[in-house]
Amino acid sequence: MKRFAAILLSLCLLAPLAGCAKTDTRRGKPTQLKTDVTVQPVAVTVPADAAAAYDRFGVDLFKACYSGGNTLVSPLSVLGALGMTAGGAAGETLSQMETLFGMNADEVAAYLAAFGSDGEGARLKTANSIWVREDLRVRDAFLARSTANYGAAIYKTAFGDDTAKAINKWIEEHTDGLVKDVLDRVPPDAVMYLVNALALDAKWENIYRENEVRKATFTAADGTKQDADMMYSEESRYLADADTTGFVKYYQGRRYAFAALLPREGMSIADYVALLDGEKLGALLDGMTAETVNAGLPRFKTEYSVEMSKALAALGMTDAFDPALADFSGMAEMEEDNNICISRVLHKTYIAVDESGTKAGAATVVEMTECAMFEPEEPKEVILDRPFVYLLIDCENGNAPVFIGTVETVN
């Protein structure tokens, strides 16, 4: 199986105009909107090499994030998050993103539409939403495209602490409780969140019986010995190449499966990851053979998080993070000399594998902020080391001074 199922969360933050920014602390329930613009979905044929492009994207992303230890990334989650973001990109920014994907933005949307099922014993469900701060001049065409291509529900609200709670609640509801408290706060300059959630809950085709689970020793990467609950089974699909042996274990319905890859004796996991690429992985999975495999799989649970901006930039997606070069003009209207760029791509994953099956989840947060398009000047310096005047002002009323005072001594 070449599909890596997971939970996807994409959170895109944009920022308001510079200057004395006002913080909206009003509370209220989000209002679900319908756009006035209708966009008909474009008939797009998924390219024949889409699976190979996805393998390449996934392995390259994994290698860029890997630094030892239990690592878990969801290429499906990240592709979905960046695919939605690409719907508001243009110019060289869009070109770099599409080069990284190996597909154009419309092809990504069509490719992602093929994921998701509600079969017996193995369920992958998806949901999308966009949360817009009430004063953002978001482009209706962008929202309409997101609705047409991703089925996104659109919510408009005043942003504040309650917004974080509402989004986290929405995420938890749509991920079967696997992903919680993703958004820690809504900063004053946040104006939009794009959220995509996926949840995988899959039961083994042949669950492990009690006598098939026994105590064993697991040798960690640093050579230490660890106690493990090893689950033993007889599988029917074998994986092998010059550097790898492995097996495939199916979930119910056989649409999804667990593939295990064990580096050859004497090769470290770090060396194996360094040799892996999309073509090698694709050939390995496509070359599985029908052979009996006596397999042992430890019961395990992993939670992992990483900030991906440097990894994505290293893979060629540089302009999206550059205040002077980023082009997300299709997402929202900004005043002259202000721009939108990606500041962080946060990724968090979870997986639990036991006798019954697998539950997996991921969250991908694409944080976008307002950024100045001009080159920064040398900073000024103001050191309040002598008497000074100060004011407390009302930014919503012409910066009216509410308090004026002086400091002539600090003791």
Side-chain angles (χ1 to χ4, degrees):
M1 293 292 294
K2 298 175 65 176
R3 300 294 173 256
F4 189 109
I7 296 180
L8 162 66
L9 166 70
S10 163
L11 298 170
C12 296
L13 294 89
L14 292 80
L17 303 180
C20 186
K22 60 182 181 181
T23 302
D24 196 335
T25 58
R26 287 173 293 170
R27 300 292 181 261
K29 294 183 178 180
T31 301
Q32 188 166 353
L33 303 178
K34 291 185 178 180
T35 61
D36 296 328
V37 177
T38 301
V39 174
Q40 295 298 329
V42 179
V44 177
T45 301
V46 177
D49 62 349
Y54 179 71
D55 287 342
R56 183 172 57 252
F57 169 79
V59 174
D60 289 348
L61 184 70
F62 172 75
K63 291 175 67 173
C65 295
Y66 175 78
S67 60
N70 286 1
T71 303
L72 176 66
V73 301
S74 169
L76 186 63
S77 171
V78 178
L79 181 62
L82 294 179
M84 290 189 72
T85 307
E92 182 63 18
T93 300
L94 177 60
S95 178
Q96 289 179 0
M97 297 179 78
E98 292 178 335
T99 297
L100 176 61
F101 304 155
M103 295 175 272
N104 66 41
D106 289 332
E107 291 169 343
V108 168
Y111 179 70
L112 292 175
F115 289 86
S117 68
D118 196 15
E120 181 181 354
R123 181 171 57 101
L124 177 65
K125 67 176 186 178
T126 66
N128 299 281
S129 62
I130 297 179
W131 305 69
V132 182
R133 199 175 77 178
E134 58 188 5
D135 60 349
L136 177 67
R137 293 178 295 176
V138 65
R139 296 191 185 278
D140 284 340
F142 169 70
L143 296 179
R145 250 191 332 270
S146 299
T147 299
N149 292 338
Y150 291 92
I154 301 166
Y155 299 92
K156 198 166 192 178
T157 183
F159 275 14
D161 291 341
D162 285 356
T163 308
K165 294 177 183 177
I167 292 175
N168 284 333
K169 181 180 179 181
W170 186 93
I171 293 165
E172 187 171 350
E173 288 175 351
H174 288 84
T175 58
D176 297 336
L178 291 176
V179 177
K180 300 179 181 179
D181 300 326
V182 175
L183 189 59
D184 58 346
R185 64 188 178 90
V186 174
D189 57 356
V191 294
M192 183 188 295
Y193 292 88
L194 289 85
V195 182
N196 176 285
L198 291 84
L200 172 68
D201 188 351
K203 303 298 182 184
W204 298 122
E205 182 179 61
N206 296 303
I207 66 172
Y208 293 93
R209 296 182 292 272
E210 185 176 349
N211 67 330
E212 293 174 324
V213 182
R214 299 189 292 276
K215 294 294 182 182
T217 298
F218 182 86
T219 303
D222 63 2
T224 59
K225 305 296 183 180
Q226 301 176 344
D227 294 333
D229 291 322
M230 192 69 68
M231 303 182 292
Y232 296 94
S233 63
E234 185 177 279
E235 303 303 334
S236 61
R237 293 294 184 272
Y238 181 61
L239 302 169
D241 63 14
D243 300 309
T244 318
T245 56
F247 64 90
V248 170
K249 183 176 179 64
Y250 289 104
Y251 297 106
Q252 291 180 17
R254 291 206 166 197
R255 173 163 181 174
Y256 305 106
F258 181 94
L261 308 177
L262 182 67
R264 59 177 167 80
E265 194 72 34
M267 175 179 281
S268 71
I269 189 67
D271 289 342
Y272 180 70
V273 169
L275 289 174
L276 195 62
D277 59 29
E279 184 178 359
K280 183 179 177 72
L281 178 63
L284 182 62
L285 295 176
D286 289 343
M288 74 173 68
T289 56
E291 299 182 55
T292 300
V293 185
N294 292 322
L297 171 65
R299 181 194 292 156
F300 70 95
K301 183 185 297 184
T302 293
E303 193 170 27
Y304 174 80
S305 61
V306 62
E307 201 281 296
M308 289 185 167
S309 59
K310 291 183 179 179
L312 292 168
L315 294 175
M317 198 181 107
T318 57
D319 283 14
F321 302 98
D322 191 318
L325 299 177
D327 186 352
F328 290 99
S329 55
M331 192 174 287
E333 297 180 46
M334 305 299 291
E335 289 193 353
E336 188 177 358
D337 293 333
N338 289 308
N339 196 18
I340 300 170
C341 63
I342 300 176
S343 59
R344 294 186 300 169
V345 179
L346 307 174
H347 188 63
K348 184 176 182 180
T349 53
Y350 169 88
I351 189 170
V353 176
D354 59 22
E355 298 91 329
S356 299
T358 300
K359 292 184 178 181
T364 304
V365 180
V366 180
E367 180 182 89
M368 305 189 71
T369 57
E370 184 185 39
C371 43
M373 298 176 64
F374 48 82
E375 291 294 325
E377 298 178 357
E378 286 295 319
K380 304 296 189 294
E381 184 174 87
V382 178
I383 308 299
L384 299 176
D385 56 1
R386 48 191 171 82
F388 62 93
V389 175
Y390 69 94
L391 305 89
L392 303 183
I393 63 175
D394 182 342
C395 294
E396 292 192 9
N397 289 295
N399 296 334
V402 179
F403 293 90
I404 303 177
T406 63
V407 173
E408 298 185 13
T409 177
V410 294
N411 293 321

